[in-house]
Amino acid sequence: MRKLCRRMAAAALGLLLLGAAGLYLLNRALPDTFTIQPNQQLSIASMPWLTADSPRQATEAPVNASARDTGGSQTLRLFGLIPVKTVQTVTEAQRYVTVCGTPFGVKMFSNGALVVAFSDLYTDLGSENPAKEAGLRLGDLIVSAGGHTVRNNEELSSAIATAGGNAMEVVYLRDGNRCTCTLTPVQDQDGSYKAGVWVRDSSAGIGTLTFADTENGTFAGLGHAISDTDTGASISLLSGEIVPVTITDCIAGTAGAPGELRGEFSGDEVLGTVLANQDTGVYGRLSGQVSGTEYPVANMQEVRTGAAQILTTVDGAGPKLYDVRIESVNLNASDPNRNMLIRVTDRDLLQKTGGIVQGMSGSPLIQDGMLVGAVTHVLVNDSARGYAIFAQTMLQAADRVV
């Protein structure tokens, strides 16, 4: 009997520990702040078993009343009983944007010279590479050399030539950190002083325009940063512009081989100026006309698993809605590009592209009559599936560039 009691106690303790662990993980899966509309009760569509208490109002009201106010705090409870987390709520009026789904080209010039390759130099002393010896790596962004600002390839070459065979200080960015090293150019067999490094100062490519906020005159696209094709490093923006693109071909994706949309820039029209190249997308100010349909922007807690549609352009016929399914929603993902996992279910789109292909990044996701997100990545081993970012995240980023 005692053994049975001990077993029951151990089992009960195990269940309590398991329950506590589950509550801890659920707590961590919830963000600290939610945005709701005026007079709207907080509810989480992807977690219908969580309910919120009536809000506790903030003790202080903002000095200047606006469309965006702190609403107070609310406790989320499991099945209305077990407290999981107390969160802050921010009240904001419903936002509307013009949803595009059209391809666009991006031309960008980096604010520096990006290291993309090394090339050994043959001198009287043998093979040398001053850049490697100085400690430079692929993906470093050189912003200064020999006391001279470096904004492009020509300015770096000029600084190296000016230094001759003398040591010079090189300032560069690595993983967002400002670093310095000492580089001594060497004279190659042609008599020119070089550093043994290949750099790039510009980039161009195509993606999908997610939305335009015509009220604020801004745009948002891609859902992720533009990165250098050789190093994977994000381009540090000096200047850039977006232009119309015509899709000319589509290479369907297969397991292990992502597909690709191919297109060509259409004329000399400039649609907008790029002001920010961020982890969550490309943002800027509109200067041309864009077409699309107006939709309300969903707050992240309004996104649910289930049926949705993707608005994308995969041929010359323009943007079209295709069926997808949102398989999971992650409200508090460490990577904002992976807040949703989606699967293409539309037979026509699967036949045309195999699912999600490169160039579709930024394609809007529509659910329950709202813009809920944009596609960001394809799963390499399953081209029918991919990740997406919340539209709310992109809208907030677009607001910050104004």
Side-chain angles (χ1 to χ4, degrees):
M1 187 68 177
R2 290 180 179 177
K3 288 184 179 180
L4 179 60
C5 289
R6 284 197 295 270
R7 289 176 181 173
M8 292 178 64
L13 179 60
L15 288 174
L16 285 173
L17 292 174
L18 185 62
L23 287 175
Y24 172 77
L25 293 175
L26 183 54
N27 179 288
R28 294 292 299 273
L30 294 167
D32 296 326
T33 303
F34 289 91
T35 300
I36 59 175
Q37 297 173 36
N39 302 316
Q40 182 184 47
Q41 176 69 18
L42 175 62
S43 62
I44 302 176
S46 59
M47 300 178 182
W49 21 267
L50 284 181
T51 57
D53 292 344
S54 297
R56 296 192 292 274
Q57 296 299 319
T59 56
E60 296 182 2
V63 176
N64 297 315
S66 66
R68 182 178 177 86
D69 289 335
T70 301
S73 61
Q74 294 181 252
T75 299
L76 294 168
R77 297 180 182 273
L78 184 63
F79 304 118
L81 299 172
I82 305 171
V84 175
K85 186 172 186 174
T86 298
V87 299
Q88 297 297 315
T89 55
V90 173
T91 302
E92 185 176 38
Q94 180 78 69
R95 297 283 298 277
Y96 290 80
V97 296
T98 300
V99 176
C100 304
T102 47
F104 72 127
V106 184
K107 302 176 182 178
M108 286 181 53
F109 295 91
S110 64
N111 190 22
L114 185 69
V115 177
V116 297
F118 295 99
S119 178
D120 291 346
L121 303 171
Y122 296 95
T123 70
D124 294 337
L125 299 177
S127 178
E128 298 185 62
N129 194 299
K132 278 186 178 180
E133 293 167 6
L136 290 174
R137 301 178 189 170
L138 294 179
D140 289 344
L141 182 72
I142 299 173
V143 296
S144 174
H148 302 282
T149 299
V150 171
R151 288 163 297 205
N152 52 49
N153 302 352
E154 290 74 19
E155 290 180 348
L156 177 60
S157 297
S158 176
I160 292 171
T162 300
N166 299 316
M168 64 177 183
E169 182 183 67
V170 174
V171 181
Y172 59 95
L173 302 180
R174 177 182 294 168
D175 298 328
N177 299 313
R178 194 176 182 88
C179 309
T180 61
C181 66
T182 300
L183 186 152
T184 304
V186 297
Q187 201 170 25
D188 65 8
Q189 293 176 333
D190 295 329
S192 301
Y193 284 97
K194 295 182 179 179
V197 63
W198 290 89
V199 295
R200 183 178 293 137
D201 61 9
S202 62
S203 180
I206 68 169
T208 300
L209 190 62
T210 307
F211 64 80
D213 182 353
T214 54
E215 183 176 347
N216 290 323
T218 56
F219 68 83
L222 288 185
H224 60 72
I226 295 178
S227 301
D228 180 73
T229 55
D230 293 313
T231 67
S234 297
I235 304 296
S236 179
L237 178 68
L238 174 64
S239 63
E241 60 187 26
I242 62 170
V243 297
V245 159
T246 300
I247 298 299
T248 57
D249 193 15
C250 176
I251 308 301
T254 57
E260 178 185 10
L261 292 178
R262 294 180 178 176
E264 56 186 24
F265 291 2
S266 305
D268 298 324
E269 180 185 3
V270 175
L271 297 177
T273 302
V274 179
L275 299 178
N277 179 35
Q278 302 178 357
D279 291 341
T280 59
V282 173
Y283 305 94
R285 184 171 296 280
L286 284 171
S287 59
Q289 296 293 320
V290 296
S291 59
T293 303
E294 189 174 73
Y295 282 92
V297 178
N299 292 318
M300 60 182 175
Q301 73 273 10
E302 297 177 292
V303 185
R304 59 177 176 82
T305 57
Q309 291 181 302
I310 182 174
L311 179 65
T312 193
T313 303
V314 297
D315 52 34
K320 182 180 176 182
L321 286 167
Y322 300 93
D323 292 331
V324 299
R325 183 173 183 81
I326 300 176
E327 295 188 329
S328 65
V329 178
N330 189 336
L331 296 172
N332 209 21
S334 57
D335 183 348
N337 307 126
R338 290 170 166 79
N339 284 123
M340 289 172 274
L341 179 65
I342 69 167
R343 177 186 290 276
V344 175
T345 57
D346 195 287
R347 291 184 179 180
D348 288 343
L349 186 58
L350 289 170
Q351 185 175 9
K352 291 177 180 178
T353 66
I356 301 168
V357 297
Q358 297 177 50
M360 285 172 62
S361 293
S363 296
L365 294 173
I366 309 297
Q367 185 183 65
D368 300 330
M370 297 184 291
L371 173 66
V372 298
V375 174
T376 58
H377 296 85
V378 60
L379 299 188
V380 175
N381 294 321
D382 185 357
S383 60
R385 303 169 76 204
Y387 290 107
I389 185 174
F390 288 136
Q392 179 186 5
T393 301
M394 296 184 71
L395 181 58
Q396 290 172 345
D399 288 343
R400 289 192 290 269
V401 307
V402 177

